[in-house]
C-alpha cells in the first residue's frame, strides 16, 4: 500500500528529554513537511524539505530539528529546548508538482509528563 | 491580520441540507487552494483542490474560487451525519512572497450535521 506512516501513534516524554518522531512515505514524493496542531487551532509549519539533504525552517522551528538523508524519510526531533511540546504532530508529503497538493500521515500525539 | 481566515463555527446543518463554508485569504498572488476534512483526533484528509476562478464539483462537494475578492468556499450538498468534522481551508503561498513553498491553513470551521 502506498502512503505516509508516522510512528509512534502516542508518545510520552519527560521534561528535559529529546524525542524523535518518525515519518516515512513510499509515494515517491519530493517534498515533506512537519506541522504542529494544538487543540482548537489550525496547523503550524515546523520544517519542510523540498529535496533530499535540504530543508527550511517553517514558522515555529525553535526547539525542533530535522534531517532529510533519504527521499522516503523525514524524522523530527523535539528537543528539550521546546518549552511546550505537548501537541498533535502531523507529517505531510507532496509530489512537488505545480498542483502543490499535500497529503497527511496519521499523526503522532506527544504528551510531556 | 491572519493570512487565511475561516469562521470557527460550529456550523449546525440539518441532515439533507447544504452546508456553506467560507474562507478568505490575504495573499493576492496565491494560485492553489485546498479544502481538508479533519475528524476529531484524526489527521486532515484532502477533499478538494481548486486552481482557477469558478466552481469545481466532486460528488456532493463544490468548491468555489473568486481570486478578485480573495475568497474560496466549500458547499456540501445533501449533508450527512458523517460530514460532521472540522473543515480546513489551505492556501499555497505566492511565488513572490515568503510563503512560497508552504501551505497556509485557516483555523478550521466545525460542521455539525444533525439528524
Amino acid at each position: 500500500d502506498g502512503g505516509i506512516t508516522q510512528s509512534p501513534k502516542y508518545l510520552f516524554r519527560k521534561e528535559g528529554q529529546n524525542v524523535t518522531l518518525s515519518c516515512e512515505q513510499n509515494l515517491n514524493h519530493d517534498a515533506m513537511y512537519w506541522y504542529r496542531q494544538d487543540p482548537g487551532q489550525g496547523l503550524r509549519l515546523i520544517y519542510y524539505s523540498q529535496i533530499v539533504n535540504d530543508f527550511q525552517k517553517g514558522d515555529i522551528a525553535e526547539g525542533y530539528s530535522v534531517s532529510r538523508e533519504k527521499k522516503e524519510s523525514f524524522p523530527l526531533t523535539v528537543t528539550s529546548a521546546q518549552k511546550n511540546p505537548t501537541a498533535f504532530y502531523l507529517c505531510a508529503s507532496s509530489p512537488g508538482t505545480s498542483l502543490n497538493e499535500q497529503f497527511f500521515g496519521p499523526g503522532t500525539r506527544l504528551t510531556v509528563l | 491580520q491572519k493570512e487565511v481566515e475561516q469562521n470557527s463555527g460550529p456550523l449546525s446543518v440539518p441532515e439533507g441540507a447544504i452546508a456553506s463554508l467560507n474562507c478568505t485569504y490575504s495573499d493576492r498572488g496565491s494560485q492553489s487552494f485546498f479544502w481538508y476534512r479533519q475528524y476529531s483526533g484524526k489527521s486532515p484528509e484532502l477533499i478538494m483542490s481548486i486552481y482557477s476562478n469558478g466552481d469545481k464539483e466532486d460528488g456532493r462537494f463544490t468548491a468555489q474560487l473568486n481570486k478578485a475578492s480573495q475568497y474560496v468556499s466549500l458547499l456540501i450538498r445533501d449533508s450527512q451525519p458523517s460530514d460532521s468534522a472540522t473543515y480546513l481551508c489551505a492556501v499555497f503561498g505566492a511565488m513572490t512572497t515568503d510563503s512560497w513553498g508552504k501551505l497556509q491553513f485557516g483555523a478550521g470551521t466545525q460542521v455539525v450535521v444533525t439528524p
Side-chain angles (χ1 to χ4, degrees):
Chain A
D1 287 338
I4 305 168
T5 58
Q6 291 186 242
S7 61
K9 186 173 181 180
Y10 298 97
L11 184 58
F12 298 90
R13 190 195 94 167
K14 294 181 180 179
E15 288 196 21
Q17 281 184 335
N18 292 354
V19 292
T20 297
L21 283 59
S22 170
C23 178
E24 304 276 334
Q25 54 97 1
N26 61 5
L27 301 169
N28 200 33
H29 286 177
D30 287 321
M32 297 186 75
Y33 306 81
W34 274 106
Y35 294 89
R36 168 181 172 144
Q37 187 175 38
D38 293 282
Q41 298 189 29
L43 279 65
R44 293 185 289 169
L45 183 64
I46 304 172
Y47 269 97
Y48 63 108
S49 168
Q50 294 177 313
I51 195 170
V52 175
N53 291 323
D54 188 39
F55 50 83
Q56 288 79 40
K57 293 182 179 179
D59 301 318
I60 56 165
E62 184 175 351
Y64 300 98
S65 65
V66 294
S67 62
R68 186 84 187 278
E69 297 176 1
K70 299 186 299 182
K71 189 175 184 177
E72 307 80 34
S73 179
F74 192 40
L76 173 74
T77 296
V78 184
T79 75
S80 57
Q82 170 51 235
K83 297 307 178 187
N84 186 21
T86 295
F88 189 36
Y89 289 86
L90 291 156
C91 178
S93 69
S94 171
T97 67
S98 59
L99 297 179
N100 301 317
E101 295 177 322
Q102 291 185 18
F103 303 91
F104 285 85
T108 292
R109 198 166 297 277
L110 173 63
T111 303
V112 173
L113 302 174
Chain B
Q1 179 187 5
K2 291 184 180 178
E3 297 191 30
V4 180
E5 298 213 39
Q6 301 179 248
N7 291 327
S8 60
L11 176 66
S12 184
V13 180
E15 185 174 357
I18 296 175
S20 178
L21 291 74
N22 296 316
C23 171
T24 59
Y25 60 94
S26 60
D27 189 347
R28 184 171 288 279
S30 296
Q31 299 295 323
S32 305
F33 307 86
F34 308 93
W35 284 99
Y36 288 83
R37 178 177 62 198
Q38 186 175 24
Y39 293 114
S40 180
K42 302 297 185 182
S43 63
E45 174 192 9
L46 180 64
I47 57 172
M48 288 291 285
S49 50
I50 187 166
Y51 304 95
S52 54
N53 283 329
D55 295 357
K56 179 182 177 182
E57 186 174 317
D58 184 359
R60 295 186 295 110
F61 298 105
T62 299
Q64 300 173 317
L65 175 61
N66 184 324
K67 291 183 182 178
S69 300
Q70 295 176 240
Y71 82 78
V72 57
S73 61
L74 179 70
L75 301 177
I76 308 173
R77 292 184 302 281
D78 187 24
S79 295
Q80 302 297 310
S82 59
D83 295 326
S84 297
T86 296
Y87 290 81
L88 303 172
C89 173
V91 178
F92 195 80
M95 190 179 295
T96 56
T97 68
D98 291 340
S99 298
W100 172 248
K102 310 175 192 176
L103 276 183
Q104 304 292 323
F105 283 85
T109 297
Q110 183 185 4
V111 172
V112 178
V113 180
T114 55

